[in-house]
Amino acid sequence: LEEPAPLRMEAEAYKNTRGHCALFCGAKGTSGAAALSAEAAARSGTGLTSLFVDEDIYTAMAAKLLSVMVKPVSAVRDPETLEPFTAFLAGSGWGVEGREELLRVLIESGRPGVIDADGLRVLRKLEEETMRNTLAETLNGRWICTPHPGEFRVLQAIDRESLRRDPFSAILTAAREYGMVVLLKSHLCYIAAPDGRTAIVDGMNPAMGTGGTGDVLAGLAAGLLAAGVEPFDAACRAAGFHQKIGTLLRKRRGWFLAEDMLPYISRVLSGDNGSNAAE
């Protein structure tokens, strides 16, 4: 995949014309994943970002995130509550128990979104329990999933060696069966759409192998979706921008933390090489 084109905005754009991303992430003990995803989304082109969290982490998250509107998940009372949002992210650090009904409401809303991490296990439960015959039709190519190899095997019964040997066949099968764009993240990123489009992002950057970088990627993809980027293009751009940021950071800092990626997002998406991003 060639380096992704910068994200362009009209000169007259303002926050209410740039989309509103809603994230359903985080749980007690894994609130950092929610913070990383939410800030990545907020920096990636969308005009507004809301994060819905459980009551037991609400106060901490509201104090931590200044540019993200943090709300208790209990505020989502019915599908009409979701009307203001243009894209969703579900799953980063989310946990699994008790999440099925909310994820079902999100994917039945007709809006695009990203399913990451724990959200993939919730999706699998939904498929098995209530949506076996309708899931692909409901997702309808609007959603992106962002598994690492272990999470991918939640969706597809495939052994590690078979996935390593032929990732494209595996992710194309999953993309068609689930009706989703699949972004398989590893030392390389493999991307497939239900219509057969594929791409590969050549990273080979071991400094990216640190906790939380996948949460940043998921937030990046969700923010691009909320800003109006088509799902396959959003997955490709997110993976490409993510790898570019990782390359810049490795040159500047060597080993780095996931939160070090955040200040670089807006610069890289706008076409800057990120070299002057705040330390």
Side-chain angles (χ1 to χ4, degrees):
L1 185 71
E2 296 180 0
E3 184 171 310
L7 185 66
R8 301 300 184 194
M9 297 181 192
E10 299 297 330
E12 65 270 21
Y14 65 104
K15 65 183 181 182
N16 289 327
T17 64
R18 288 170 48 196
H20 191 165
C21 185
L23 298 92
F24 296 81
C25 302
K28 192 172 183 178
T30 51
S31 60
L36 289 167
S37 293
E39 187 168 345
R43 292 177 178 270
S44 63
T46 188
L48 294 165
T49 308
S50 292
L51 172 65
F52 290 87
V53 297
D54 297 332
E55 297 282 353
D56 56 2
I57 63 170
Y58 168 76
T59 300
M61 298 305 294
K64 182 178 181 62
L65 294 166
L66 303 181
S67 296
V68 174
M69 293 176 281
V70 181
K71 305 171 184 180
V73 74
S74 58
V76 181
R77 294 178 296 275
D78 51 53
E80 286 70 32
T81 312
L82 303 173
E83 286 296 326
F85 307 114
T86 54
F88 303 117
L89 166 59
S92 304
W94 204 27
V96 176
E97 293 304 315
R99 305 299 195 189
E100 295 97 320
E101 178 60 19
L102 181 51
L103 183 60
R104 184 189 62 77
V105 170
L106 295 179
I107 65 177
E108 289 181 348
S109 71
R111 291 166 179 76
V114 176
I115 302 177
D116 181 48
D118 290 333
L120 294 164
R121 293 180 173 84
V122 180
L123 181 71
R124 183 66 172 168
K125 289 177 69 175
L126 267 183
E127 182 198 25
E128 292 173 349
E129 294 172 6
T130 63
M131 302 181 75
R132 182 178 298 275
N133 299 319
T134 62
L135 186 58
E137 181 180 346
T138 304
L139 289 164
N140 195 31
R142 289 185 296 262
W143 285 69
I144 302 166
C145 68
T146 54
H148 58 57
E151 291 165 343
F152 180 79
R153 293 197 300 276
V154 171
L155 300 179
Q156 292 286 297
I158 184 171
D159 63 84
R160 184 184 300 272
E161 182 58 25
S162 298
L163 181 60
R164 186 194 66 78
R165 271 198 318 270
D166 189 5
F168 273 127
S169 292
I171 65 172
L172 271 168
T173 297
R176 287 166 175 155
E177 288 183 357
Y178 281 88
M180 288 191 296
V181 175
V182 178
L183 195 173
L184 178 66
K185 56 195 182 190
S186 185
H187 60 290
L188 305 177
C189 287
Y190 302 92
I191 305 165
D195 62 10
R197 286 176 292 170
T198 60
I200 184 168
V201 176
D202 185 356
M204 301 297 285
N205 180 358
M208 297 282 279
T210 184
T213 57
D215 302 315
V216 173
L217 176 61
L220 235 173
L224 291 169
L225 282 177
V229 180
E230 179 269 334
F232 181 73
D233 189 22
C236 291
R237 287 193 184 196
F241 289 135
H242 191 251
Q243 289 291 350
K244 183 174 182 179
I245 292 166
T247 299
L248 288 166
L249 275 168
R250 188 179 184 191
K251 289 177 180 177
R252 290 174 65 87
R253 297 191 179 185
W255 305 114
F256 56 86
L257 300 178
E259 57 261 41
D260 296 333
M261 304 183 79
L262 298 171
Y264 286 75
I265 292 174
S266 298
R267 289 179 176 269
V268 169
L269 264 67
S270 64
D272 190 298
N273 65 10
S275 60
N276 296 315
E279 290 292 326

